[in-house]
Amino acid sequence: KQEVTQIPAALSVPEGENLVLNCSFTDSAIYNLQWFRQDPGKGLTSLLLIQSSQREQTSGRLNASLDKSSGRSTLYIAASQPGDSATYLCAVIGETSGSRLTFGEGTQLTVNP
Amino acid sequence: DVKVTQSSRYLVKRTGEKVFLECVQDMDHENMFWYRQDPGLGLRLIYFSYDVKMKEKGDIPEGYSVSREKKERFSLILESASTNQTSMYLCASSFLDRKNYGYTFGSGTRLTVV
């Protein structure tokens, strides 16, 4: 059974710092990995999707990498801002899971002004 | 802009009521999903559907049912609401075969059962 772990569970940084969020998964047979952002009381917003054949994806100040063989992904946020404060979730679609996503527990990020 | 729309942001219902949560997507996605999210438990899959009139149980289907009469609409039904169903409910959709397009989520419905 696929398991997804995110470290750290919570992170507090001063504005302007570059930071890395980690995601690991136990079964490397995946179609893709998707990073989401969730603001308090809101739904999930897709940030980046990395296909299994890709190594990384970039969008603005965000860069996500994927090392499928080692079961790891990182989300890099450059020059963090208070508006980046949210919970970040990673999720994978496994090759044997049909269309089902398996989520990590999330990293709660606080960026202090 | 493509969307998954959940009909209510906040709902308050009484114990024993029959509750309908509605979700509509405009992306022509085959798959639709209902999750609930609780502190410390993460997102848990309740039901999903990969086609009209088709449904599959997720990890926690007890106390829930679903309906998919049209491709764009997926309803979650609480037959007799109970206080332990107080939660955030999230709807999502995706393509059946084009897995590299990922999931799109709605904005969530916060349900309180009193």
Side-chain angles (χ1 to χ4, degrees):
Chain A
K1 180 185 173 185
Q2 179 75 272
E3 292 182 1
V4 180
T5 304
Q6 290 187 246
I7 295 172
L11 183 63
S12 182
V13 300
E15 182 176 3
E17 259 198 26
N18 303 323
L19 56 99
V20 174
L21 308 181
N22 296 293
C23 172
S24 62
F25 46 96
T26 55
D27 185 348
S28 62
I30 63 169
Y31 282 116
N32 62 46
L33 184 145
Q34 199 166 357
W35 281 94
F36 295 92
R37 168 187 173 137
Q38 186 176 31
D39 294 293
K42 302 286 181 64
L44 275 65
T45 300
S46 180
L47 297 174
L48 289 164
L49 182 145
I50 311 177
Q51 299 177 26
S52 59
S53 59
Q54 298 175 321
R55 298 284 294 184
E56 65 179 310
Q57 282 285 339
T58 298
S59 176
R61 294 183 294 107
L62 305 180
N63 176 276
S65 67
L66 174 65
D67 185 342
K68 185 180 166 184
S69 61
S70 68
R72 293 180 183 178
S73 176
T74 61
L75 179 66
Y76 176 81
I77 303 176
S80 58
Q81 302 171 357
D84 294 330
S85 298
T87 296
Y88 292 80
L89 294 149
C90 74
V92 299
I93 294 181
E95 293 180 4
T96 59
S97 66
S99 296
R100 297 177 58 151
L101 270 179
T102 302
F103 282 91
E105 292 289 325
T107 294
Q108 186 173 355
L109 173 66
T110 303
V111 181
N112 301 299
Chain B
D1 196 18
V2 295
K3 276 187 178 176
V4 175
T5 302
Q6 295 184 229
S7 55
S8 304
R9 288 296 310 279
Y10 301 96
L11 276 179
V12 180
K13 297 292 181 180
R14 295 193 180 277
T15 300
E17 276 193 72
K18 190 169 186 176
V19 181
F20 293 86
L21 302 184
E22 306 287 344
C23 176
V24 177
Q25 51 94 5
D26 64 0
M27 295 165 284
D28 202 32
H29 283 168
E30 294 87 1
N31 296 328
M32 297 189 74
F33 307 82
W34 276 106
Y35 289 84
R36 66 177 282 178
Q37 186 178 31
D38 301 286
L41 296 175
L43 281 108
R44 293 180 290 169
L45 182 63
I46 305 171
Y47 267 99
F48 66 101
S49 168
Y50 54 89
D51 200 356
V52 175
K53 297 191 184 295
M54 304 302 291
K55 60 184 179 182
E56 296 282 344
K57 292 180 179 179
D59 300 320
I60 52 163
E62 297 78 19
Y64 303 94
S65 62
V66 291
S67 172
R68 192 158 181 208
E69 297 296 319
K70 294 184 178 181
K71 188 176 184 179
E72 67 271 17
R73 185 180 297 271
F74 193 35
S75 302
L76 180 69
I77 304 159
L78 286 66
E79 297 290 344
S80 177
S82 64
T83 55
N84 63 13
Q85 292 178 310
T86 291
S87 186
M88 168 70 94
Y89 289 87
L90 293 163
C91 176
S93 68
S94 72
F95 287 115
L96 178 64
D97 294 322
R98 287 175 276 176
K99 291 181 170 54
N100 291 324
Y101 282 77
Y103 273 46
T104 303
F105 277 81
S107 56
T109 296
R110 170 70 66 182
L111 173 67
T112 302
V113 182
V114 298

